[in-house]
Amino acid sequence: MFRFALALSLVCSLAVPVGAQQQKVDITWLSFDPAAKTAKFQLIAGLTGLNGALNFNGFRDGQLTLVIPVGWKAEIAFKNHDGMLPHSAEVISPQTPLPTQPVSAAIPRAFTLKLAEGLPPQGTDVMRFAAQPAGEYLIFCGVPGHGAAGMWIRLQVSATPKTPALLLTPSTGAK
């Protein structure tokens, strides 16, 4: 009986589709200094194979939210982990439909180099900007077609939280 139960549990665990597994938030992606009011976030393009590697930190379609208190300094260290495709990042206003190419950044200096061309595999850049004004934003890949295909997460700049946070959020589109 024990062997049957063990075999059944093994078969059931193998039958779970990969897409059904919940991506976890790695707490090392975010660090902050409350005294200096500085938030540092590691933004990793193509971290996993999810969505054909069109993801940030293994999340797509806004399923991860970076929360930064309004007025704090944001330092987003971008790395293209995807071994095949170029990627970029910029902070944009939410819009429907999502743009198919780069648009003007919603916050000054909140974008990487080569927005349309993208940074090559293992390419890096750092976005440094003041997290203001308060509002809802998207961190969006500007390489044509990538953001519209789901390569975006959320950025919330808010006066409510006292410290930055990373939150899992349901995918509801760019609204």
Side-chain angles (χ1 to χ4, degrees):
M1 184 68 171
F2 174 73
R3 287 184 189 168
F4 175 74
L6 181 62
L8 182 61
S9 68
L10 180 60
V11 168
C12 289
S13 68
L14 294 175
V16 176
V18 174
Q21 296 174 354
Q22 179 65 39
Q23 173 67 22
K24 297 202 168 128
V25 175
D26 183 339
I27 60 170
T28 64
W29 294 334
L30 177 64
S31 62
F32 54 90
D33 179 350
K37 294 189 175 184
T38 302
K40 295 182 179 184
F41 177 60
Q42 295 175 33
L43 181 66
I44 308 163
L47 179 61
T48 68
L50 175 71
N51 195 32
L54 298 180
N55 65 74
F56 285 124
N57 297 57
F59 294 89
R60 63 173 286 181
D61 292 316
Q63 294 174 324
L64 181 68
T65 300
L66 170 60
V67 179
I68 301 178
V70 70
W72 279 44
K73 294 176 202 134
E75 184 175 299
I76 299 179
F78 173 89
K79 179 178 183 182
N80 184 3
H81 185 265
D82 187 334
M84 303 273 298
L85 299 173
H87 296 293
S88 64
E90 67 173 320
V91 175
I92 67 170
S93 297
Q95 47 199 279
T96 303
L98 287 168
T100 58
Q101 58 189 7
V103 296
S104 296
I107 297 175
R109 296 187 304 276
F111 56 89
T112 61
L113 299 171
K114 302 181 180 180
L115 276 173
E117 179 184 339
L119 294 167
Q122 302 308 309
T124 62
D125 194 10
V126 179
M127 297 186 279
R128 290 181 181 90
F129 59 92
Q132 58 189 11
E136 303 288 329
Y137 303 95
L138 308 181
I139 299 175
F140 178 87
C141 182
V143 173
H146 290 195
M151 192 169 182
W152 59 276
I153 60 174
R154 299 174 194 278
L155 170 64
Q156 180 184 59
V157 177
S158 174
T160 305
K162 301 297 180 210
T163 60
L166 283 173
L167 308 172
L168 293 174
T169 48
S171 177
T172 58
K175 298 175 186 175

